[in-house]
Each structure stands twice: as C-alpha cells, then as structure tokens.
Amino acid sequence: MSPAAGSPGGGTPVTLTGSNFTQATAVRFGPNFALSYTVVSATQITAVAPAGSGTVQITVTTPGGTSNGVAFGYAAAPALTGISPATGPATGGTTVTLTGTNLLGATVVRFGAVNATSFTVVSATQITAVAPPGSGTVQVTATTPGGTSNGVSYSYVAVAVPVLTAVSPGQGPVGGGNTVTLTGSGFTGVTAVRFGSTPASSFTVVSATQITAVAPPGSGTVQVTATTPGGTSNGVSYSYVAVAVPVLTAVSPGQGPVGGGNVVTLTGSGLTGVTAVNFGSTPALSFTVVSATQITAVAPPGAAGPVQITVTGPGGTSNGVTYFYVGVPTLTGATPAQGPTSGGTTVTLTGTNLLGATAVRFGAVNATSFTVVSATQITAVAPSGSGTVQITAVTPGGTSNGVPYTYVPTPVLTGLSPAQGPLDAGTTVTLFGSGLTTTSSVLFGSTPASFTIVSDTWATAIAPSGPAGPVNVQVRTPGGSSNSVVYTRVGPPGI
C-alpha cells in the first residue's frame, strides 16, 4: 500500500496492491470501514482512510474471503513552533531551520503556496529547507502523512548586495593562515568569504562594515569576495607572495610583573608587516613595528611563570622566545628593624619573590648596597636617615609592600649620680642624658652593668666592682655608643 501512514482525522487516499481484488465487498482499516474505495483492477484498489489512531491492519474482503492485513499508521498532525532565520532575500536561497513536532515523513514544505527549493527532515522536531524566491510575508508549512501543519511567518526582504572597499593586509604567504580585515558595507548575514574560488579557512562578521577572515593557501593574485543573502560582492585584490616566516632571537627585558604593562623589545628578522604579538595565547596590549629587526610591545597581564612570545606576519608565525611573569615581591620582616641615623647597619629582609631585585629603598633613599640571597631573603646596608621609614624592594615583578625601619639617634650622657662609690659592686647610679629608651647595654669601662630604663632621659645602673680610681661610663643603643661620663671608685680609708 502507499502511503503507509495518514492523518488521524482520516481522508488519506491509499493505494492497495495485491491479487484477487475483483468483486471486493469491503475495505477495512482495523475494525473501521474505508470512507470509500474503488476497485481499479484485480491487483489494485484505491481507498479513503477513515479516522483512527495508532497502527491498524488494512484488509480487503471479497466473496473469496478476507485478505491478510498490511499495516497502516495514523500519524499525529505536524506542528511548527519556530523558523530561523525568519527573513531572507526576495531572490530566495536562504537555508532556514524549522522546529516543531511530528515532522518525520514530511513530503512537502511550502513558503506560502510555493514549494521549498529543497528540504531535509533532520528529526521528528527539525527540518531544514531552502527558501524559494518570493515577496512579502508568507506562512511556511510542512506536510506529512499526518496532515499539514500550522504556518510560521517568513518575510522576504530587499537585501543589498555587499560591497568591498579594501582588504588589509593585501598580501600573504602562499601557505595561507594569516588574518586579513575586509572593510566595506552590507556585511550583515555574510554566509561565505572566498579567496578566488577557495573559501576562507574561517571568518568572523565583526560588524556591517567589517569582516576578519583567515586566508586559505593559494598562489598569484586572487579576488576576495563576500556573499550574503543579497548576493556576492565585488572583488578586491589579494596577492599570495613568498614571504619569510618571522624569526625572534631575543626579548629584553626577559621578565616582568604578572600585572603586565611593561614595555619589552623583541629583536629578530622578517618583522616587517607583523600583525600580532602574543604572550602565550594572550595578545600584547599594544605593539609597534620599529623595523624589520625590532618590535616594541606592551606585555599583557599573565600568570606567574614562563610563556612563549610569538609574532605573526604575512609569512606566518615565528618561533617563541621565553618571557617570565614574575610575582609581585612581598616583604614580611626586617632584622634588625632599627639602626643609627648614620646608617651602615646590615639589615636582613625576608619575604617572597625577591629574585632579580633591582633596588632596595629605605624610604626614598637607596640602600648603600644589597645582596639577593634567595627568593625569600635580601641583605641590605642601611643608608643614613632619620625617623621611621618603610623599606621596599623592587624587582621585575614590581615594588613590594613596606616594612618599618627606625633610625635611632646616638645616645648622649650629661651626668650621673652619685659620681663615686665603693670598690665593691652594688651602688645604684642614676644616668642622665637623651636617647636612652633603646639602651642595650651600660658599660663601666669594659664591664657590663645591669640597668633599668626609666625614660628617654633617665636610666639606673648597678655599678660593678673594680679597682680604685676613675672609670668611663657609656651606654649603647641601636643608635650607637654615647659619650663617656666618669665614675670614681673609692677604697676604704687607711688607719
């Protein structure tokens, strides 16, 4: 039989083929009689299917009996829910995607009263169809054994033919692969970009006036064209030339901060016409082709670690040169954290990412000298200064946070009381002066004494034992050693 399916509402004409159909008295679709039937010959009957559902067996009854059954399916009516795109040129040719339900077995797709140029049933929920020429807004329908669907609107519009005005660069390597920029008008909806008769390797419609395309391999001079639903543009000339692949030999500096923004100089050959500079897969923030052997580029942000810098020109993409993204240095401590105003104290700085340090500063003043011990340690000699300043370290990764360092003034002694005492230890001596707060030791000659800091101008010390006579008393602080004041040991009186 043909067709093998029909609408649940009935009315589908079905042709049955077989034998011994003469004098047929009934045609049934399952238990239901055909709405009508005609015996065409002993081998053919045409019948109109009644309403039904599911799959039923069609049988023919004659005076000789009832035939075997052949399966007939009642197909659900198709329904359309969407069309994309919903517009296209009056000349037709646009491929549209119809979505809906019960689309299997579609026999016709119509744009208004006109059949689609062609169509493909993708699944029960999708059909692709090529729009025929037309005008205005029409209803697109799909017909299946289950019937004809509802319509979805499709509008024919006047689409301008695209126009190309320029291609940049206008030449590239015979191996293709370089990106060119097409400028012009009417680029919306571009479906193809061709270099001569060869499609571009890929293309992107940036706007109605700009397209970027990757040139395919080729030779000689070809015409680049763009095609939209409005037609195919004029051509602009593009030449395939034997262009050397650029070569990089060095980058300076070879490292920089993870935040990017630093300027590096690339040297090599064949750099004329370079169209891209990449740090790994990330484009440089900007670049300038200085000459055929030099490019300056601004590094983009990146993750700590090495990346390969490459450049792309008409001849292709260069080899890579290694560039290191360096983490921003941090300081966690300074030991000692204070020293004399005259400077000269060796300070050990601890932190992270300290390799490659180019400067250590005490406030705004550079350290007298410094040594990078490791990624976590620097030793630096403090310059002269005053007050409390922030020590910072500068590396290719940037400038660190600051850690405090205090300049301590040299202590001064103005007097002591009492100025003499016995030979034995134990006399409490009060020292007067300034800069005594950070006193680290009190010396009677070369002998240390125990002491107590009372204030910046006052300290007490227990005089140690010693021989009779005068002895110089000094205090020492991170700011240095004070002047001396004299304390005299007096022996017991003789008899």
Side-chain angles (χ1 to χ4, degrees):
M1 72 180 157
S2 178
S7 170
T12 303
V14 179
T15 298
L16 304 171
T17 55
S19 59
N20 301 320
F21 288 164
T22 304
Q23 299 181 16
T25 57
V27 175
R28 292 185 177 87
F29 285 69
N32 300 320
F33 287 102
L35 296 179
S36 64
Y37 68 92
T38 301
V39 178
V40 179
S41 68
T43 60
Q44 189 178 90
I45 293 175
T46 59
V48 179
S53 63
T55 300
V56 298
Q57 297 294 310
I58 303 178
T59 57
V60 176
T61 301
T62 71
T66 298
S67 71
N68 60 302
V70 288
F72 178 83
Y74 283 98
L80 293 179
T81 55
I83 181 172
S84 179
T87 60
T91 54
T94 302
T95 298
V96 301
T97 299
L98 301 170
T99 52
T101 57
N102 304 318
L103 303 181
L104 289 177
T107 55
V108 178
V109 173
R110 292 187 177 91
F111 286 67
V114 182
N115 287 353
T117 303
S118 64
F119 69 91
T120 301
V121 179
V122 179
S123 66
T125 60
Q126 189 179 96
I127 294 174
T128 58
V130 177
S135 61
T137 298
V138 297
Q139 295 298 302
V140 181
T141 58
T143 300
T144 72
T148 297
S149 72
N150 59 299
V152 288
S153 295
Y154 178 82
S155 297
Y156 287 99
V157 294
V159 180
V161 176
V163 175
L164 289 179
T165 55
V167 57
S168 178
Q171 60 181 20
V174 293
N178 58 307
T179 299
V180 302
T181 299
L182 302 172
T183 53
S185 61
F187 292 162
T188 302
V190 163
T191 56
V193 173
R194 293 184 175 87
F195 286 67
S197 61
T198 306
S201 298
S202 64
F203 68 88
T204 300
V205 178
V206 179
S207 67
T209 60
Q210 188 179 94
I211 297 172
T212 59
V214 177
S219 62
T221 298
V222 298
Q223 296 297 303
V224 183
T225 58
T227 300
T228 71
T232 297
S233 72
N234 59 299
V236 288
S237 295
Y238 177 85
S239 298
Y240 285 98
V241 294
V243 180
V245 176
V247 175
L248 291 180
T249 56
V251 55
S252 179
Q255 55 188 3
V258 293
N262 57 307
V263 177
V264 302
T265 298
L266 301 169
T267 53
S269 60
L271 304 183
T272 302
V274 160
T275 56
V277 175
N278 288 303
F279 287 65
S281 59
T282 306
L285 296 180
S286 64
F287 68 91
T288 300
V289 178
V290 179
S291 68
T293 60
Q294 189 178 95
I295 293 174
T296 58
V298 179
V307 296
Q308 295 296 304
I309 303 179
T310 57
V311 299
T312 301
T317 298
S318 74
N319 60 300
V321 289
T322 302
Y323 176 84
F324 285 89
Y325 279 104
V326 182
V328 177
T330 60
L331 292 179
T332 55
T335 304
Q338 52 189 8
T341 55
S342 58
T345 302
T346 297
V347 180
T348 298
L349 302 171
T350 53
T352 59
N353 301 321
L354 303 181
L355 289 177
T358 55
V360 174
R361 296 188 176 96
F362 286 67
V365 181
N366 286 345
T368 302
S369 64
F370 68 91
T371 301
V372 179
V373 179
S374 68
T376 60
Q377 189 178 96
I378 294 175
T379 59
V381 178
S384 59
S386 62
T388 297
V389 298
Q390 296 294 310
I391 305 177
T392 56
V394 179
T395 75
T399 299
S400 73
N401 59 300
V403 290
Y405 179 83
T406 301
Y407 284 99
V408 180
T410 303
V412 175
L413 289 180
T414 58
L416 52 76
S417 177
Q420 61 181 19
L423 303 180
D424 296 333
T427 301
T428 299
V429 178
T430 301
L431 305 172
F432 302 100
S434 61
L436 305 182
T437 301
T438 57
T439 295
S440 57
S441 64
V442 176
L443 299 175
F444 282 68
S446 59
T447 305
S450 62
F451 64 91
T452 300
I453 304 301
V454 179
S455 70
D456 191 62
T457 61
W458 182 18
T460 62
I462 306 299
S465 61
V471 62
N472 288 325
V473 180
Q474 281 185 315
V475 297
R476 291 180 179 172
T477 71
S481 296
S482 73
N483 59 301
S484 298
V485 291
V486 177
Y487 176 80
T488 302
R489 293 190 184 95
V490 180
I495 297 176

